Amino acid sequence: MNFPVIKGTGYVLVHAPNMMLEHGTTITVEKAKNPGSDFLKAIPDHIRSFEETVKYAPNQVYIGNLSPRDLETIPQPWFENFVEDADRQGKYGEIMPEKELYGLMKIVDRFELVELNEEFSAEIKEILKAKDIFTENQLALFDKPKSMDEISALVKNDTAKGLYDGDKLLGCVREAHESDPCLTADVVFENLVTKASGVLAMIALFKKNNIDPSEVDYIIEASEEAIGDMNQRGGGNMAKACGEVAGCINATGIDMRGFCAGPSHAFVNAAGLVQSGIFKNVVVMAGGCTAKLGMNGRDHINKKMPLVEDMIGGFAVLVSENDGVNPVIRTDILGKHKISSGSAPQAVIQAIVVDPLTASGMKISDIDVFAPELQNPEITVPAGAGDVPVANYKMIGAMAIKRGELEKKELMEFTKKHGVIGFAPTQGHIPSGVPLIGYIRDSMLAGEMTNAMLIGKGSLFLGRMTDLFDGISFIIQKNSGELSMGQDSSASDEFKQEIREMIAEAMQGIADSLARR
Amino acid sequence: MDMANQARIKETAEKFGKDSVVVILGGGEAESAGLTAETVMTGDPTFAGPLTNVALQLPVYHLFELKDLIDPAVYEEQVSMMEMVLDVDEIIAEMDNIRKECSE
């Protein structure tokens, strides 16, 4: 028994402007309802280039080239104040252009559903070969292109969704069944994007941290997609599907769902599996979501901004046995929103932040940094949804005031000291605390941070099965270096006492037998 | 206000009569609270939902405006934290404005 550690992190982004136009629900619904609307007409003038997304400061924070603290010093709007020397390769992963993701979708496709034309197949094979992360067998998949005539026909008769570069058709994703609503071209497209971006995040985790994928025992996938057919709509298993491509030959896995709280639930489960000794190395991961691309696009265009919701996100984190070095997950301090907790924001913060700290004799201000939902405010504020991380920090600070730990005038200072500025794309499960784990781990390894609380919250009403809220939190703590950290000392003392008594009894027996001689 | 909520408000007003319905908002932002108030008074300003061109003129208040009517213990337990977090004055001012602008 021992606390598990966060052994490595991988974070990736994909710039997906064409997917935003073809699969983002705000835009597809508008196309169906008001095909000639001013909103749709304005879109082409608001599309960002790949270079602009690489130079976009929040994206640089996401892949680890800047810290969240650096972001505080860069004036907004970030879509105008670029990071000029920005690199698409980062400490934790990379920012990928859309065309490369099309290639990756072909690589992760096991059912010949992704078709690419001759010209693009040849082009993308060379580009992906140069990345030096794919095998010869994977790259050989590009040697069987489809003709443009065939691809155009498939898209035209609505049995496939196009893969576009502007107006240019490069390939398509075919439907997987002629009459199954769970295997339409749209659904298969969405799931393959989640798979491809999830695999990319896993590759980043392994490559950036020198981790051998064959050492992974178990994978928990925590996106919000449903993988299955019409008889088992959410059957799964994206985790195993991603692990197969990423080379985790000794792993199996499971999909874990809970809307935006899914990843935090996944971490708690991963920590339990490792601490119990069931598995040694568990990867928690997720790819991104096409449906949410351009979700607040109407507001962004009204505010004369570029469409900044054009990024697919992905993450992968390895939870392993205590190595005495990496930060531990404190499985003894967990916060959970119970069925009886209540849905008022105050009840939620009480349940997932205050209660676990109180139970452990800690104050709110004892936590160095809180990692709640970390949406980039430049996306949410113009859409009227406010600055989500700041709202969370204010709520946590307000609870500290109510508990007499903080003066009311110190609230804003509290939000700055114990919080970070939001930098994650609005991809549901992606911004939910997890994007800060890389920064938290680095800060703890550098001795600059003692502890942090990760908070996952989920709006379950969206699925119409319950109107309950949900949330779960856990604490990451700097490793003390003791390999017995988290060992149950009372149980261990009891065991030692039992051995002492057994030895004493045996010695008494020997003494008695000697005395009888 | 989303389509489903507009439909529910419309249905409730039709079922119980406009004089028997009060709308209480709990939103955290002045502009969106104002838009919601406008929707239940003069109709959906985005011309997208069931309340398009339907002027229900329902009485509408934000929860913060009703503090004096709420059991102090319940308010303390459920709302006091958000009172510290949100810009209460801005929300109340916006509600006042919208009620003046939209009343017949």
Side-chain angles (χ1 to χ4, degrees):
Chain A
M1 284 274 283
N2 212 326
F3 287 140
V5 299
I6 303 279
K7 205 162 183 181
T9 60
Y11 295 102
V12 296
L13 292 169
V14 181
H15 179 230
N18 292 286
M19 290 185 190
M20 176 172 69
L21 300 180
E22 299 294 321
H23 298 271
T25 53
T26 298
I27 295 174
T28 54
V29 168
E30 184 75 0
K31 279 180 180 173
K33 279 190 169 176
N34 307 302
S37 76
D38 291 343
F39 167 48
L40 292 176
K41 283 180 200 154
I43 286 174
D45 296 333
H46 293 260
I47 302 280
R48 296 196 291 185
S49 70
F50 175 65
E51 289 68 30
E52 284 172 324
T53 65
V54 171
K55 291 177 178 178
Y56 188 57
N59 291 349
Q60 285 293 314
V61 177
Y62 192 85
I63 62 163
N65 285 340
L66 293 176
S67 91
R69 298 292 176 213
D70 295 330
L71 192 58
E72 292 166 12
T73 66
I74 302 173
Q76 285 182 264
W78 295 314
F79 58 78
E80 283 176 0
N81 297 306
F82 290 123
V83 181
E84 286 305 335
D85 55 348
D87 192 335
R88 67 170 273 198
Q89 289 294 333
K91 188 176 180 184
Y92 307 138
E94 69 171 298
I95 303 172
M96 182 177 257
E98 196 167 34
K99 283 164 80 174
E100 289 182 26
L101 187 74
Y102 294 162
L104 190 49
M105 286 165 72
K106 177 75 184 166
I107 286 176
V108 305
D109 166 30
R110 307 292 294 173
F111 289 86
E112 297 181 354
L113 298 168
V114 178
E115 309 282 13
L116 304 178
N117 72 30
E118 287 105 342
E119 188 191 344
F120 181 61
S121 292
E123 176 195 338
I124 202 65
K125 183 180 179 181
E126 289 311 307
I127 291 170
L128 294 183
K129 192 176 177 184
K131 291 178 83 71
D132 208 20
I133 51 177
F134 300 110
T135 64
E136 280 300 318
N137 282 346
Q138 287 171 327
L139 294 168
L141 292 166
F142 297 106
D143 298 337
K144 292 183 206 164
K146 266 273 189 280
S147 75
M148 264 315 285
D149 288 347
E150 283 175 281
I151 290 170
S152 301
L154 287 167
V155 174
K156 206 172 174 186
N157 70 20
D158 225 17
T159 57
K161 295 298 290 185
L163 295 165
Y164 294 97
D165 179 23
D167 293 334
K168 208 171 162 190
L169 187 60
L170 304 177
C172 67
V173 176
R174 308 168 70 131
E175 64 183 15
H177 192 279
E178 60 185 26
S179 54
D180 187 333
C182 298
L183 293 171
T184 62
D186 269 312
V187 174
V188 173
F189 191 112
E190 186 167 16
N191 286 343
L192 278 172
V193 170
T194 304
K195 183 180 179 185
S197 49
V199 165
L200 188 65
M202 289 178 92
I203 293 172
L205 166 69
F206 300 142
K207 296 282 176 190
K208 300 281 178 183
N209 297 279
N210 292 319
I211 291 163
D212 178 355
S214 72
E215 288 180 4
V216 175
D217 302 298
Y218 202 69
I219 302 159
I220 306 180
E221 197 265 3
S223 75
E224 296 174 303
E225 308 309 321
I227 295 92
D229 65 8
M230 61 184 165
N231 293 316
Q232 38 271 315
R233 191 153 37 90
N237 179 322
M238 187 66 100
K240 197 160 190 172
C242 291
E244 178 190 18
V245 187
C248 304
I249 53 169
N250 292 310
T252 182
I254 196 73
D255 301 345
M256 199 163 275
R257 299 288 177 266
F259 283 100
C260 307
S264 294
H265 280 282
F267 273 103
V268 170
N269 279 275
L273 289 171
V274 173
Q275 182 160 347
S276 65
I278 293 174
F279 296 122
K280 285 189 168 74
N281 296 299
V282 179
V283 169
V284 175
M285 52 77 59
C289 169
T290 52
K292 295 186 187 80
L293 293 168
M295 199 162 45
N296 297 290
R298 191 176 278 108
D299 294 303
H300 295 153
I301 287 180
N302 286 342
K303 301 263 158 69
K304 304 197 187 317
M305 290 171 56
L307 289 162
V308 285
E309 263 172 324
D310 52 359
M311 306 306 293
I312 298 266
F315 69 82
V317 178
L318 179 62
V319 179
S320 292
E321 287 181 312
N322 194 351
D323 55 5
V325 178
N326 280 290
V328 298
I329 296 176
R330 287 289 303 265
T331 49
D332 56 341
I333 315 176
L334 294 176
K336 68 171 181 192
H337 182 268
K338 297 179 288 187
I339 287 170
S340 58
S341 289
S343 289
Q346 194 164 328
V348 173
I349 298 291
Q350 177 73 36
I352 58 179
V353 177
V354 180
D355 286 349
L357 293 176
T358 308
S360 309
M362 293 173 81
K363 289 190 296 184
I364 290 172
S365 53
D366 287 340
I367 297 296
D368 289 345
V369 172
F370 292 90
E373 295 143 303
L374 296 164
Q375 282 96 337
N376 171 359
E378 198 156 274
I379 297 174
T380 57
V381 172
D387 185 325
V388 179
V390 167
N392 274 286
Y393 294 133
K394 279 188 184 170
M395 287 192 270
I396 296 167
M399 290 303 266
I401 295 168
K402 281 175 65 65
R403 292 164 56 82
E405 294 178 26
L406 198 70
E407 294 285 327
K408 202 168 176 181
K409 61 176 193 277
E410 296 169 319
L411 183 60
M412 284 319 289
E413 195 189 318
F414 174 90
T415 66
K416 287 200 171 73
K417 190 176 167 197
H418 297 272
V420 298
I421 199 159
F423 59 89
T426 48
Q427 290 252 295
H429 56 290
I430 297 289
S432 198
V434 179
L436 205 62
I437 295 179
Y439 168 72
I440 290 168
R441 178 171 173 266
D442 285 349
S443 301
M444 288 182 186
L445 288 174
E448 292 160 1
M449 192 188 290
T450 307
N451 59 23
M453 180 186 264
L454 234 86
I455 302 166
K457 293 201 278 185
S459 301
L460 308 187
F461 77 90
L462 293 164
R464 305 298 194 271
M465 286 296 115
T466 174
D467 58 1
L468 290 174
F469 198 77
D470 189 43
I472 191 160
S473 71
F474 60 94
I475 286 174
I476 301 174
Q477 186 175 304
K478 185 174 179 285
N479 201 314
S480 68
E482 285 173 47
L483 287 175
S484 61
M485 207 177 169
Q487 205 154 20
D488 187 338
S489 58
S490 61
S492 148
D493 289 349
E494 216 169 279
F495 185 57
K496 282 179 192 162
Q497 183 60 28
E498 215 170 297
I499 291 174
R500 276 190 214 109
E501 282 169 15
M502 284 166 73
I503 293 171
E505 216 172 289
M507 294 297 283
Q508 188 66 50
I510 294 167
D512 286 350
S513 71
L514 285 174
R516 279 198 295 273
R517 278 183 190 177
Chain B
M1 189 189 274
D2 68 28
M3 307 299 131
N5 280 336
Q6 286 192 36
R8 282 168 79 181
I9 295 275
K10 188 165 179 264
E11 195 187 315
T12 307
E14 280 164 3
K15 189 173 170 188
F16 297 101
K18 288 184 202 175
D19 297 340
S20 307
V21 178
V22 177
V23 180
I24 300 170
L25 310 180
E29 212 251 341
E31 191 184 340
S32 62
L35 282 172
T36 309
E38 186 181 345
T39 306
V40 301
M41 290 187 77
T42 55
D44 182 0
T46 66
F47 298 99
L51 290 179
T52 299
N53 295 323
V54 180
L56 291 176
Q57 287 294 344
L58 295 175
V60 53
Y61 299 94
H62 195 281
L63 187 69
F64 289 140
E65 298 179 282
L66 308 176
K67 185 175 179 180
D68 295 343
L69 303 177
I70 299 168
D71 179 339
V74 173
Y75 193 89
E76 175 64 24
E77 190 194 318
Q78 304 214 0
V79 191
S80 59
M81 179 193 80
M82 290 313 287
E83 197 181 53
M84 278 190 261
V85 171
L86 300 174
D87 193 334
V88 176
D89 294 341
E90 193 190 11
I91 291 172
I92 292 176
E94 181 66 8
M95 291 298 293
D96 275 340
N97 277 341
I98 294 291
R99 275 194 299 263
K100 274 180 207 146
E101 273 175 30
C102 295
S103 57
E104 281 171 348

